[in-house]
Amino acid sequence: MTKEEKEKLALEIIKRLKEEYPDAGCTLDYNDAWKLLVSVRLAAQCTDARVNVVVKDLYEKYPDIQSLAEADVEDIEEIVRPCGLGRSKARDISACMKMLRDEYDSKVLDDFDKLLKLPGVGRKSANLIMGDVFGKPAIVTDTHCIRLVNRMGLVDQIKEPKKVEMELWKLIPPEEGSDFCHRLVYHGREVCTARTKPRCSQCCLADICLKVGVE
């Protein structure tokens, strides 16, 4: 498929997913940028629904960057353990809050490169912050995004998140990227699933999807 054909396909997919999921947004609950940083770290290999429950206890005990930065890592781990990988997640959260406090004046900055310097923050997390908090162009290549854009034919059997992100930047209008990725999450959970056979008969993209790797 040529780049022009992929661009045309991408625009049609964006249009249809908008119609199917008009209100799609981040499924992690947060009301401050630093809380989204915490939640997205906890969400690794854990459901957003579980994270949303666990962080309530975390923020009740540590309601701001300062208190969380001062908390014992073991205390953080005890609270976040239900999300899995408790030790490494607690360590990253503690180090991240300390860096925000000590180097960034307790502020989450709208600077992609500075976000990447924060412990536990990778490209996916940084893009999520840029798109959801600051309304900047963003491509969040989570597992749903990677699986779906490969199945649809927008990328050619690329699994590495950064490479998928770079390919999508060539196809997706910048202002559409963040919402497009959120809609892929909804679609990946409800229709184009990973653990069961994709529900192609119920899919709004069935007639234009290349169905790569779908039996």
Side-chain angles (χ1 to χ4, degrees):
M1 192 186 303
T2 66
K3 183 174 183 290
E4 289 73 20
E5 289 171 331
K6 284 187 178 181
E7 286 175 342
K8 184 177 178 182
L9 176 61
L11 290 176
E12 183 61 24
I13 290 171
I14 289 169
K15 173 176 171 288
R16 295 191 189 189
L17 290 179
K18 270 187 183 181
E19 293 170 353
E20 194 75 8
Y21 310 101
D23 301 318
C26 183
T27 51
L28 291 167
D29 294 337
Y30 69 98
N31 55 14
D32 283 299
W34 69 270
K35 290 182 178 179
L36 184 55
L37 276 175
V38 170
S39 288
V40 74
R41 180 65 188 94
L42 292 177
Q45 299 181 42
C46 180
T47 66
D48 289 359
R50 175 170 289 183
V51 171
N52 288 339
V53 171
V54 169
V55 293
K56 290 179 181 178
D57 291 334
L58 185 67
Y59 301 147
E60 186 175 334
K61 190 169 184 179
Y62 307 111
D64 50 38
I65 291 173
Q66 178 74 18
S67 58
L68 195 50
E70 293 174 351
D72 289 338
V73 175
E74 291 78 12
D75 291 340
I76 299 173
E77 180 184 351
E78 183 66 29
I79 296 171
V80 304
R81 185 175 289 124
C83 294
L85 305 174
R87 183 170 298 177
S88 64
K89 289 179 180 181
R91 191 168 55 238
D92 283 344
I93 288 168
S94 176
C96 182
M97 294 303 111
K98 284 182 169 67
M99 189 167 176
L100 285 177
R101 179 194 63 189
D102 299 339
E103 298 185 33
Y104 294 170
D105 194 28
S106 290
K107 292 183 176 67
V108 178
L109 304 179
D110 61 342
D111 183 313
F112 189 81
D113 292 328
K114 287 185 177 178
L115 288 171
L116 284 180
K117 291 179 181 177
L118 293 169
V121 175
R123 296 188 67 87
K124 182 182 79 170
S125 303
N127 269 299
L128 186 67
I129 295 291
M130 292 299 287
D132 277 50
V133 175
F134 299 113
K136 301 289 182 70
I139 298 283
V140 181
T141 49
D142 67 355
T143 55
H144 292 291
C145 173
I146 294 169
R147 185 179 76 255
L148 268 62
V149 296
N150 272 285
R151 281 179 175 176
M152 294 168 180
L154 291 180
V155 303
D156 301 317
Q157 295 306 292
I158 303 171
K159 305 299 184 184
E160 186 182 323
K162 184 178 179 180
K163 288 182 179 178
V164 172
E165 180 192 334
M166 294 303 112
E167 287 301 306
L168 291 178
W169 279 119
K170 300 173 188 175
L171 303 174
I172 309 297
E175 69 277 7
E176 299 285 359
S178 182
D179 287 342
F180 171 67
C181 292
H182 285 317
R183 292 186 174 104
L184 289 178
V185 171
Y186 279 66
H187 197 63
R189 288 174 179 168
E190 297 177 16
V191 179
C192 198
T193 57
R195 291 187 173 86
T196 63
K197 190 174 180 181
R199 302 180 178 95
C200 296
S201 62
Q202 302 172 27
C203 182
C204 62
L205 306 171
D207 60 314
I208 58 171
C209 175
L210 297 189
K211 300 179 179 63
V212 178
V214 176
E215 296 178 359

